[in-house]
Every structure is written in C-alpha cells, then in structure tokens.
Amino acid sequence: MTTDATAPWLIVGLGNPGPGYAANRHNVGFMVADLLAGRMGGSFKRAQKAQAQVLEGRVGPMGPGSRRVVLAKPLSFMNLSGGPVAGLRDFYKVPTANIVAVHDELDIDYGTLRLKLGGGDNGHNGLKSMTKAMGPEYHRVRFGIGRPPGRMQVADFVLKDFSSVERKELDYLVDRAADAVESLVTEGLERAQSSYNS
C-alpha cells in the first residue's frame, strides 16, 4: 500500500492517562510518544477536536525527506482509544495508512520490536478499539513486553510497572522504538522492518 507523501502522519502512543499508570508496561506507547515529543522540541497540548494531547511538527532530516506529523496520546482509557484517534484522523485529514499505533505486545519477548501494517488486535484493547473505529489498515510498532510469569493474570501484568531488571534497559529500548517510528515515517515500512524487526 502506497502512502501520500504530502499527507501528514498521525503517530499515536497508546496508554492510560494519569500518573498512576505512567510507568506501567501498558504505557510504553506513551513513553515512546514523550521521547518523540522531546526530539521534536515541543510539548503536548490538549486537542480541541478530540480527547487527546497532541503535538504538531516534523520528523526526519530537514528538506524533502522530512514528514509532517501529528503526535498524539489519547486521554481516554486504553480500551476507548479508537474514538480520539478517529477524531484526530478526520480533523487532520490523515489517511488511515498514515496512522502509526505504538503499543505494548505480550506475544513478543521484552524489548523486541516488530513493525507491520494491518492485522488483528491479538487481544489488545487499544488496537481493538482503533480497529473498530477505523478498520485494521494502520501501521503498528509493537514493543514486546513478554508474557506474565506463572499464573499472573494478563490484566495485572500489563498494569504493573516494568521490573527493576527491565528498567535497566528501558530507556535504550524506548529510544530504539522512537528510532523505528521515525524510520517508518521517513523511509517506509520495508526499510524500517529490515532495520528494526528482530
């Protein structure tokens, strides 16, 4: 699927709002979005047309290689992400193929990245809500968090903070995920996959 080179991109970090959730595994999408905002030299502001925080800017090298992006963090809870994302898509006139969801992924080992276009939601409530609102044909940057240990419930696992061992690598891994998002937007899916899919 080709994307319109002049259309903006909508990069959505998925997570739950509020300080109590900030360091949870489920909020790694917010962590990547915050890092990208820092790289863009801006700060999030409340969107007027959707329940989300947004930052408009550019990613990539200055000149024809840079891309106009809207960076977003939905302020709904994770399982209601689709409404705010669809609202931003309509307001900024973003093709669905130019949307990137950055999210945690249980079925991938901790820290492993996988980029793809379309597909199922794999039980992820944020993706389920987005797909219900817009269909499945958006990009995903999947950040592996691994499976819960022992008999721990999935819901408990994703709503817990990263472990002390995981936190030793977390800054590096979030940085690498942000690199992958920028590569996807500026160089295309295939090149980004060859660099970052492991």
Side-chain angles (χ1 to χ4, degrees), residues 93-109:
K93 298 179 171 55
V94 179
T96 302
N98 279 26
I99 296 172
V100 182
V102 186
H103 64 91
D104 58 305
E105 179 64 61
L106 285 159
D107 286 337
I108 303 175
D109 290 341

Side-chain angles (χ1 to χ4, degrees), residues 17-76:
Y21 296 100
N24 288 179
R25 293 182 177 92
H26 222 18
N27 271 43
V28 74
F30 274 18
M31 296 173 196
V32 174
D34 286 337
L35 181 60
L36 286 167
R39 291 183 181 183
M40 289 164 60
S43 55
F44 285 101
K45 295 184 172 49
R46 181 73 187 250
Q48 299 200 337
K49 299 292 182 181
Q51 192 182 3
Q53 290 182 315
V54 296
L55 170 62
E56 297 178 57
R58 301 188 82 84
V59 299
M62 293 308 291
S66 79
R67 295 284 179 265
R68 188 160 61 98
V69 301
V70 179
L71 191 58
K73 296 192 298 184
L75 293 175
S76 62

Side-chain angles (χ1 to χ4, degrees), residues 31 59 67 85 88 129 160 176-177:
M31 296 173 196
V59 299
R67 295 284 179 265
V85 177
L88 292 170
S129 180
K160 279 196 166 28
R176 190 165 182 272

Side-chain angles (χ1 to χ4, degrees), residues 82-137:
V85 177
L88 292 170
R89 176 202 60 182
D90 295 346
F91 180 71
Y92 289 103
K93 298 179 171 55
V94 179
T96 302
N98 279 26
I99 296 172
V100 182
V102 186
H103 64 91
D104 58 305
E105 179 64 61
L106 285 159
D107 286 337
I108 303 175
D109 290 341
Y110 174 65
T112 299
L113 295 177
R114 297 273 167 77
L115 285 68
K116 68 177 203 171
L117 173 65
D121 57 59
N122 209 21
H124 191 289
N125 288 329
L127 298 182
K128 195 175 294 184
S129 180
M130 284 182 60
T131 297
K132 185 176 178 185
M134 303 181 302
E137 290 303 308

Side-chain angles (χ1 to χ4, degrees), residues 135-158:
E137 290 303 308
Y138 53 89
H139 288 86
R140 298 102 189 274
V141 174
R142 304 156 74 204
F143 186 109
I145 60 170
R147 301 295 302 183
R151 297 185 177 184
M152 184 186 289
Q153 294 295 311
V154 165
D156 294 334
F157 180 69
V158 300

